[in-house]
């Protein structure tokens, strides 16, 4: 009734607009299945496309001191199926596959159609604490926990890193860049106030460090901490920082709860396996941090004709919008739960207590998780960028972006 006689009412137009600029992706695939499949929709036409930066990010996700044997088997690469022609995006869905080399060893246990003898099924009946295992089995009524752990595994984040790398290709054209680094592993934490996080060398220093840490002394202690955990059959967690530079003011919204940039970034970070907390900028956790000290004062640079802040405790986001400063996120990772020294659990078949099953595992994933954090930040930033400046082609988006930059200059 409300929409009768009005095929394109303002409400319908509004939703059509939001939807048409919406970037979304879907991943599929099991950890030891044939591979991962990805469809990314909403990428405009004309974005220069190159697989090298995608493979570079995939390689970084596989690295980091404290990873297990699996990462030595895989060399992750995308096998592009659609959405790109002659090195530029077409505006159609971009789809690709990432094959699992390890599948060769799992063809029987992961057989899609043919049933296999019970002794080759690699059935799991002992849920690992800290994983989706028990609740997933209860929820789907599975008696074989492998049906859960194959998909809940962080192998899926490989697909996200590739998607994030494609999103980076889009926003790079507008001077937006991403990097991440390890801030802490267990109780070893770098003092960010003493370490310059600017300049060309920063990325090189991070990627040359086995734990992706900017402070070489802290890195040595972090490595020793991981070694000790390996010896003791234990695992360690920690935190990483993601930084986004070159973000214009005004991405996100102060108007609606679900369009606030900080909320969207926090959700994206919390969706990463084992992430348990996110901070935007510096959280005022010390008693002496009063409002007068905490907030970032505003200045105007007449030469560059732009407003800026004297500090960046807000982490580049105020009122749910980017404020033009670097976006800074601190993300906390729990120690991963599969341990050589197993935790107690209960067999779902026999209901007898048991030591949880040990399947080849990492010891510390903080350095790799930083790369995943970058990717998820890139997905969110590309999404809000398209919501503000969106169009069908890079040229159209560039016009919209330049128009906005002109508006800011004249302000
Ligand atoms: C890059 C990466 C690799 C991981 N590798 C392992 C692993 O080898 N063993 C393990 O027990 N957990 C691993 N995890 C953590 C589990 O995936 C995670 O703890 C599990 O999904 C449940 O955590 P959640 O409750 O936060 O989702 C990894 C996480 C990430 C981000």
């Amino acid at each position: 009734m409300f929409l009768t006689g009005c095929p394109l009412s303002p409400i319908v137009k509004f939703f059509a607009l939001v939807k048409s600029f919406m970037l979304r992706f879907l991943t599929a695939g099991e950890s030891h299945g044939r591979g991962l499949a990805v469809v990314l929709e909403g990428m405009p036409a004309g974005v220069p496309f190159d697989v090298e930066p995608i493979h570079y990010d995939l390689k970084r996700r596989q690295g980091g001191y404290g990873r297990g044997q699996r990462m030595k088997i895989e060399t992750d690469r995308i096998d592009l199926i659609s959405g790109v022609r002659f090195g530029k995006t077409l505006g159609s869905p971009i789809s690709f596959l990432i094959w699992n080399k390890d599948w060769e060893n799992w063809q029987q246990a992961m057989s899609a159609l043919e049933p296999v003898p019970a002794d080759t099924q690699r059935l799991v009946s002992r849920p690992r604490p800290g994983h989706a295992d028990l609740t997933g089995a209860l929820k789907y009524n599975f008696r074989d926990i492998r049906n859960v752990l194959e998909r809940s595994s962080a192998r899926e984040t490989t697909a996200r890193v590739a998607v994030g790398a494609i999103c980076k290709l889009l926003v790079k054209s507008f001077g937006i860049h991403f990097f991440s680094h390890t801030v802490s592993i267990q109780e070893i934490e770098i003092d960010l106030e003493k370490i310059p996080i600017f300049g060309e060398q920063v990325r090189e220093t991070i990627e040359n460090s086995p734990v992706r840490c900017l402070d070489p002394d802290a890195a040595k202690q972090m490595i020793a901490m991981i070694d000790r955990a390996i010896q003791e059959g234990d695992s360690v967690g920690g935190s990483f920082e993601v930084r986004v530079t070159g973000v214009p003011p005004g991405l996100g919204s102060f108007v609606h709860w679900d369009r606030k940039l900080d909320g969207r970034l926090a959700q994206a970070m919390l969706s990463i396996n084992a992430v348990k907390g996110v901070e935007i900028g510096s959280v005022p956790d010390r008693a002496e941090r009063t409002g007068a000290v905490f907030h970032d004062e505003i200045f105007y640079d007449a030469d560059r004709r732009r407003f800026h802040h004297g500090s960046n405790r807000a982490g580049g986001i105020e009122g749910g919008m980017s404020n033009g400063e670097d976006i800074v996120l601190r993300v906390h990772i729990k120690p991963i739960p599969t341990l050589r020294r197993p935790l107690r659990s209960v067999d779902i078949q026999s209901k007898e207590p048991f030591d949880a099953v040990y399947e080849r595992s990492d010891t510390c994933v903080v350095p790799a998780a930083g790369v995943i954090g970058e990717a998820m930040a890139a997905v969110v930033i590309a999404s809000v960028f398209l919501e503000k400046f969106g169009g069908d082609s890079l040229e159209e988006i560039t016009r919209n972006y330049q128009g906005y930059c002109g508006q800011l200059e004249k302000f």
Side-chain angles (χ1 to χ4, degrees):
M1 185 66 197
F2 181 51
L3 300 173
T4 313
C6 182
L8 266 181
S9 76
I11 290 181
V12 173
K13 271 193 206 152
F14 167 76
F15 282 113
L17 193 75
V18 169
K19 227 176 152 209
S20 65
F21 295 152
M22 207 168 71
L23 194 66
R24 57 182 184 160
F25 70 97
L26 193 65
T27 74
E30 277 75 45
S31 181
H32 300 100
R34 289 193 68 188
L36 296 157
V38 182
V39 179
L40 169 62
E41 192 222 15
M43 192 53 69
V47 178
F49 194 97
D50 182 1
V51 289
E52 278 320 306
I54 302 171
H55 291 161
Y56 175 67
D57 279 3
L58 289 174
K59 190 160 181 256
R60 290 194 301 134
R61 193 207 78 99
Q62 291 193 268
Y65 199 80
R67 300 304 300 278
Q69 293 300 312
R70 171 78 188 268
M71 286 305 113
K72 296 195 175 98
I73 299 172
E74 304 294 346
T75 313
D76 293 326
R77 297 192 109 55
I78 66 160
D79 190 352
L80 202 54
I81 305 287
S82 71
V84 182
R85 187 160 184 249
F86 305 142
K88 288 207 171 152
T89 57
L90 293 173
S92 56
I94 297 172
S95 62
F96 56 88
L97 298 162
I98 300 171
W99 299 106
N100 288 332
K101 275 199 194 153
D102 204 15
W103 182 65
E104 283 171 16
N105 307 314
W106 288 80
Q107 290 191 39
Q108 283 206 299
M110 294 305 290
S111 166
L113 300 174
E114 299 302 324
V116 298
D119 60 340
T120 56
Q121 283 178 12
R122 302 207 197 182
L123 185 140
V124 177
S125 62
R126 298 171 199 163
R128 300 160 304 168
H131 278 281
D133 296 10
L134 177 60
T135 313
L138 293 172
K139 179 175 163 71
Y140 284 83
N141 201 20
F142 287 143
R143 296 299 188 274
D144 180 359
I145 293 167
R146 182 157 303 287
N147 291 339
V148 177
L149 67 84
E150 285 291 334
R151 178 63 187 166
S152 65
S153 155
R155 177 77 187 141
E156 185 267 347
T157 59
T158 311
R160 299 203 226 170
V161 167
V163 169
I166 297 171
C167 291
K168 286 179 189 175
L169 294 176
L170 166 71
V171 295
K172 184 179 130 179
S173 310
F174 302 94
I176 301 178
H177 297 281
F178 302 77
F179 70 91
S180 65
H181 64 104
T182 301
V183 172
S184 72
I185 287 180
Q186 213 64 7
E187 68 261 30
I188 314 294
E189 180 163 346
I190 62 170
D191 186 349
L192 279 169
E193 280 171 23
K194 291 196 185 134
I195 297 170
I197 313 192
F198 302 101
E200 286 298 302
Q201 276 90 47
V202 164
R203 276 165 216 276
E204 216 180 304
T205 312
I206 295 168
E207 303 312 337
N208 285 337
S209 160
V211 279
R212 307 192 64 247
C213 177
L214 278 163
D215 177 343
D217 292 332
K220 274 189 206 138
Q221 294 175 54
M222 288 173 180
I223 289 167
M225 179 70 73
I226 295 168
D227 283 338
R228 192 172 346 131
I230 292 172
Q231 268 167 18
E232 292 172 0
D234 209 343
S235 66
V236 283
S239 59
F240 63 83
E241 205 176 64
V242 175
R243 289 191 176 230
V244 193
T245 61
V247 186
L251 301 187
S253 173
F254 63 91
V255 177
H256 296 291
W257 69 268
D258 55 346
R259 285 179 228 162
K260 290 187 178 233
L261 183 56
D262 37 6
R264 288 172 72 168
L265 283 165
Q267 197 277 331
M269 295 302 137
L270 284 167
S271 76
I272 301 169
N273 305 42
V275 167
K276 292 296 146 202
V278 184
E279 294 170 30
I280 315 274
S282 339
V283 171
D285 55 355
R286 291 199 294 254
E288 68 269 27
R289 269 203 185 150
T290 63
V293 177
F294 183 76
H295 292 288
D296 309 310
E297 292 181 307
I298 298 171
F299 299 90
Y300 185 70
D301 182 338
D303 294 337
R304 296 170 69 200
R305 287 154 87 187
R306 61 177 288 249
F307 294 93
H308 64 98
H309 297 79
S311 52
N312 187 20
R313 296 196 188 91
I317 302 177
E318 286 172 305
M321 297 166 294
S322 57
N323 67 4
E325 306 298 338
D326 289 356
I327 292 180
V328 184
L329 311 171
R330 174 88 62 100
V331 183
H332 302 277
I333 296 263
K334 72 180 181 182
I336 55 159
T338 308
L339 311 177
R340 233 175 348 94
R341 195 177 65 185
L343 300 165
R344 282 178 300 174
S345 179
V346 174
D347 190 298
I348 58 167
Q349 308 275 17
S350 67
K351 312 290 185 296
E352 293 296 325
F354 225 101
D355 285 344
V357 68
Y358 177 73
E359 209 157 270
R360 189 184 47 195
S361 180
D362 300 323
T363 302
C364 176
V365 299
V366 179
V371 180
I372 305 165
E374 269 176 52
M376 292 310 292
V379 170
V380 173
I381 295 296
S383 299
V384 290
F385 193 89
L386 288 175
E387 282 160 27
K388 179 137 183 67
F389 305 113
D392 293 313
S393 66
L394 189 65
E395 292 79 6
E396 188 180 354
I397 295 168
T398 305
R399 281 198 300 277
N400 296 342
Y401 175 77
Q402 285 171 347
Y404 181 66
C405 290
Q407 173 190 310
L408 294 181
E409 270 190 27
K410 282 195 223 119
F411 190 87

